[in-house]
Amino acid sequence: MGGWGQGSVRFDGGSVDGAVSLVEAACTIGSSFPGADGSRARIGAVRHMKKRPCTFSGIRKSNSIGTVFCKLSPSSGARIGWRFRGILAVIAALMIVSMPATVAQHSDGVAIQGVVVNSDGKPVDNAVVRLEQKDVSGAVETKTNAAGGFAFSDIRPGSYLLSAERSGLRSHVAAVIASSQREPQKVDLVLGDTGSVPSDSNAFSSSSMTFADNPNFTVAGVTDWTAAGGHGSDSSLRTSEVLASETLTLKANGLGHGAAAAGNESESGLRAELASAPGSFEANHRLGEFYLRGGRYRESIPLLQNADRIDPANRDNAYDLALAYEGSGDLLHARERVHELLMHQEDADLHRLAGEIDEKSGDPLAAVHEYEQAVRLDPSEQNYFGWGSELLLHRAVWQAQEVFRKGAEAYPKSARMLTGLGTALFAGARYDEAALRLCSASDLNPADPEPYLFMGRIQIVAPNPLACVEQKLARFVQEQPGNSLANYFYAMAILKRQQQSTDKQTVQEAERLLTKAVTIDNKCGDGFLQLGNLSASERNFEKAIDFYRKAIEADPQLGEAHYRMGVAYDRIGEPAKAKEEFRLHDEIKEQQAEAVERQRREVKQFLVVLPEQPAHPSVP
């Protein structure tokens, strides 16, 4: 039986491409083979294989010594214990190709390299690979070699978009952060008909996580909240916590097992149907489900209970009844009903619902295990998202990144999956990559405000301006000019960039956007606060005080407005008023700090076990 082997290879001069130009060369141990330019490569000892012929697959090269990968010829007496699946060609054939002359080189540049494969995992030669730096006009291209390998070298550190195309097939665009590390960034691309990817984010994808591909972590317990894994500043950490909580609101509203929603059916029609047949399972179930879909949980319960008594074997009705119990806050009966159903049949939707109930009941450890089991049974978009959100909520930041990343690979058209991944990356202080993910989420549905709101918040607390964010927030304003937050966040992105320059027109544009934001919504306290800051920077303290006063009227708990107003009063020679504002600021700050600590005590932090390591709070 055939299998895969690998061994060492030494290059005796010439180029790598030349040495491997004979792609179907014999790979017998100790043999050498020539390249087109006269170079030679000699294969050394090969692990996992006997000395017998094989087919050359690829080489990973480091200086003059590399690793050769070979596919063994069939043999009745030999069996290879370890085998790669379709991904083997991806990780096996990383070879350097020449860089186009048009690439902007940098003396301290970095490299991006990888392999392009088709949906079956086979290398694709002669594919066009395109590299585009974010917010920089123009792009560079190269083509893959016979083993599907490509490389861009000596490029400047920064944020890039990478994609591949051949014969009408395209890969999805990959966001790449090229840092000044010595090791090259390795990115593999899969060609597929991107137009055929289903728009329904719940459609199953073959690239989803399978549990031969087990997660490399275990949640073993919970502990009180610690600062482990936090950011350098408390404002960033607090923003991270708020966004982690708000990620839960991105969950789909689909209810799973139950029959289709009532659609255009009216309440009066369903009630009339029940009145004419009060003992009908269908009439009770349909009206109960109608109330359930409308969030009228308490009204739905007696109807679904009646249907359950009439036909206790109907699992769809039993599931809807559990949902109604959960929605009404009756978690005890909800859990009992779910456990009864699970005793008869393992079901991913039931495990996910059990996770939701356990989280609401204050048992996050049970909840995260239920979410994981749901993904094991059905790696759907909804189940991936539920698991990732639970990990993120309880500060298992690295692990949330892993799950969201798997989910995004499986469901590349899920905006909320990319938003969750961006939030998890931000929680780990990976600001640039987080921004790229959120920007990609906004591209999927430019009319959806959620990704913009998330990126707007992280932009404010990030230490530096983030690639792509200002451009996307400008589109947010174009899409929704009457949205107060769209104008506010775009103004803040402009002001963040302005910190690196002194462009008066830029400040005026930001001021115009802030004015529009508070005109649309006079409760936009942060908008008034920033207008006050702009006036104070121009030493117009009287005008600044007026803006700060409006900010406090809009949001009495906006402590920074009190502080800034105290500074302004001090500047105009009114120390008594300044002192009072400083006192109010300190009082509000203390109250808010106490509230944050209470919330942190309520949200336990997961203890995560990594392979061959003891349990510990997850630290990004």
Side-chain angles (χ1 to χ4, degrees):
M1 181 176 181
W4 290 93
Q6 75 178 67
S8 63
V9 62
R10 178 174 293 278
F11 300 94
D12 298 322
S15 69
V16 184
D17 286 343
V20 298
S21 61
L22 300 180
V23 177
E24 295 298 326
C27 291
T28 306
I29 300 171
S31 67
S32 64
F33 50 95
D37 58 356
S39 59
R40 300 188 69 83
R42 178 174 294 276
I43 300 174
V46 180
R47 300 195 304 274
H48 310 293
M49 60 179 285
K50 296 181 179 180
K51 184 174 180 179
R52 55 191 172 88
C54 63
T55 302
F56 170 77
S57 174
I59 289 176
R60 181 177 294 158
K61 178 177 178 292
S62 176
N63 298 322
S64 63
I65 299 178
T67 301
V68 65
F69 294 80
C70 302
K71 184 165 177 35
L72 307 184
S73 301
S75 171
S76 59
R79 182 179 182 88
I80 305 304
W82 62 280
R83 300 177 63 192
F84 288 96
R85 298 185 180 179
I87 196 172
L88 178 64
V90 177
I91 63 173
L94 296 178
M95 294 188 296
I96 307 301
V97 297
S98 58
M99 190 69 181
T102 55
V103 173
Q105 297 197 350
H106 192 257
S107 59
D108 297 322
V110 295
I112 297 175
Q113 64 186 47
V115 172
V116 177
V117 298
N118 61 20
S119 58
D120 295 326
K122 296 180 179 179
V124 178
D125 64 348
N126 209 36
V128 176
V129 183
R130 178 184 176 89
L131 183 70
E132 180 180 2
Q133 188 169 8
K134 296 291 288 184
D135 299 325
V136 176
S137 60
V140 293
E141 295 181 349
T142 189
K143 288 189 176 183
T144 57
N145 59 21
F150 68 88
F152 297 93
S153 60
D154 292 329
I155 63 173
R156 295 179 182 276
S159 302
Y160 291 84
L161 298 177
L162 186 68
S163 61
E165 178 180 3
R166 184 185 174 186
S167 302
L169 296 180
R170 298 179 177 84
S171 71
H172 290 285
V173 178
V176 183
I177 305 296
S179 62
S180 56
Q181 59 187 13
R182 293 184 179 180
E183 291 295 321
Q185 294 278 10
K186 296 177 181 178
V187 183
D188 301 325
L189 301 172
V190 181
L191 288 187
D193 185 358
T194 56
S196 68
V197 177
S199 59
D200 180 4
S201 62
N202 288 314
F204 180 74
S205 168
S206 61
S207 62
S208 57
M209 181 189 291
T210 61
F211 277 84
D213 179 21
N214 284 305
N216 62 353
F217 64 89
T218 301
V219 178
V222 294
T223 185
D224 290 336
W225 185 94
T226 70
H231 295 259
S233 70
D234 186 66
S235 60
S236 293
L237 176 58
R238 184 58 189 147
T239 298
S240 164
E241 292 170 331
V242 171
L243 291 181
S245 179
E246 292 186 0
T247 299
L248 298 173
T249 67
L250 300 175
K251 289 185 177 181
N253 293 323
L255 298 178
H257 272 275
N264 294 326
E265 291 179 310
S266 67
E267 180 180 359
S268 60
L270 292 170
R271 291 177 67 87
E273 180 183 333
L274 179 63
S276 65
S280 165
F281 167 83
E282 191 66 23
N284 280 278
H285 175 74
R286 279 156 59 84
L287 183 56
E289 187 183 41
F290 179 89
Y291 289 144
L292 176 64
R293 305 296 184 190
R296 297 161 66 176
Y297 303 112
R298 294 190 181 280
E299 293 175 81
S300 73
I301 288 173
L303 294 161
L304 295 172
Q305 286 174 331
N306 288 340
D308 187 60
R309 282 190 288 269
I310 296 167
D311 184 3
N314 189 291
R315 290 179 60 82
D316 286 346
N317 184 80
Y319 183 82
D320 283 349
L321 181 55
L323 284 172
Y325 282 138
E326 182 204 14
S328 69
D330 188 350
L331 300 179
L332 178 61
H333 281 101
R335 183 187 290 107
E336 289 177 353
R337 178 54 56 128
V338 169
H339 287 176
E340 288 174 6
L341 291 169
L342 283 171
M343 287 177 64
H344 293 89
Q345 181 181 343
E346 282 282 275
D347 183 275
D349 288 345
L350 287 171
H351 280 289
R352 186 183 64 251
L353 179 56
E356 294 174 5
I357 294 168
D358 287 335
E359 173 60 34
K360 290 180 179 179
S361 301
D363 190 355
L365 183 60
V368 75
H369 292 155
E370 294 287 0
Y371 281 120
E372 179 178 346
Q373 182 63 12
V375 176
R376 288 178 182 274
L377 294 172
D378 176 15
S380 68
E381 190 269 355
Q382 189 173 8
N383 290 337
Y384 268 129
F385 189 83
W387 188 19
S389 299
E390 184 71 10
L391 290 165
L392 180 59
L393 180 65
H394 294 280
R395 304 299 296 170
V397 173
W398 274 0
Q399 293 71 34
Q401 290 174 17
E402 177 182 339
V403 171
F404 278 129
R405 199 181 303 276
K406 289 285 188 180
E409 290 172 359
Y411 301 96
K413 289 194 174 183
S414 172
R416 68 173 183 164
M417 196 75 72
L418 287 171
T419 301
L421 177 55
T423 304
L425 290 165
F426 171 72
R430 299 170 66 175
Y431 302 110
D432 289 324
E433 190 176 353
L436 287 173
R437 297 295 185 171
L438 291 168
C439 289
S440 296
S442 73
D443 289 340
L444 291 173
N445 181 10
D448 180 9
E450 294 295 346
Y452 300 113
L453 299 179
F454 276 60
M455 73 175 75
R457 291 184 181 180
I458 72 169
Q459 170 79 354
I460 290 174
V461 298
N464 298 300
L466 299 174
C468 81
V469 167
E470 184 178 338
Q471 174 189 356
K472 303 305 181 185
L473 291 175
R475 184 178 65 191
F476 188 21
V477 172
Q478 292 173 353
E479 290 279 342
Q480 302 183 33
N483 187 315
S484 175
L485 288 176
N487 287 274
Y488 170 73
F489 283 131
Y490 183 33
M492 295 303 292
I494 289 174
L495 289 175
K496 188 133 197 158
R497 171 169 53 83
Q498 190 272 338
Q499 292 174 0
Q500 300 177 346
S501 65
T502 55
D503 183 0
K504 188 173 182 180
Q505 287 186 333
T506 299
V507 175
Q508 290 174 342
E509 174 63 9
E511 185 174 10
R512 182 190 68 79
L513 289 163
L514 290 169
T515 301
K516 186 176 180 180
V518 299
T519 301
I520 295 169
D521 179 11
N522 62 5
K523 295 297 183 181
C524 183
D526 288 317
F528 284 118
L529 172 63
Q530 296 303 324
L531 286 168
N533 291 345
L534 290 177
S535 297
S537 68
E538 297 172 350
R539 306 193 65 79
N540 190 340
F541 297 111
E542 295 286 356
K543 186 177 180 180
I545 288 170
D546 184 57
F547 279 128
Y548 294 142
R549 187 176 291 111
K550 290 178 180 178
I552 294 167
E553 291 172 359
D555 182 2
Q557 295 302 305
L558 195 56
E560 186 180 352
H562 284 286
Y563 179 83
R564 297 279 187 170
M565 185 150 56
V567 173
Y569 275 131
D570 185 66
R571 294 292 188 271
I572 63 174
E574 296 195 40
K577 291 183 178 180
K579 184 177 180 180
E580 175 62 13
E581 294 302 327
F582 291 144
R583 184 191 68 78
L584 290 171
H585 164 265
D586 292 345
E587 182 179 294
I588 291 171
K589 184 177 180 181
E590 183 178 351
Q591 292 172 353
Q592 291 175 341
E594 291 174 355
V596 168
E597 287 306 311
R598 284 196 303 272
Q599 293 170 5
R600 287 173 175 170
R601 285 194 296 269
E602 293 171 0
V603 180
K604 298 294 184 180
Q605 185 168 329
F606 283 143
L607 285 167
V608 176
V609 175
L610 301 178
E612 301 179 358
Q613 291 186 14
H616 60 84
S618 179
V619 182

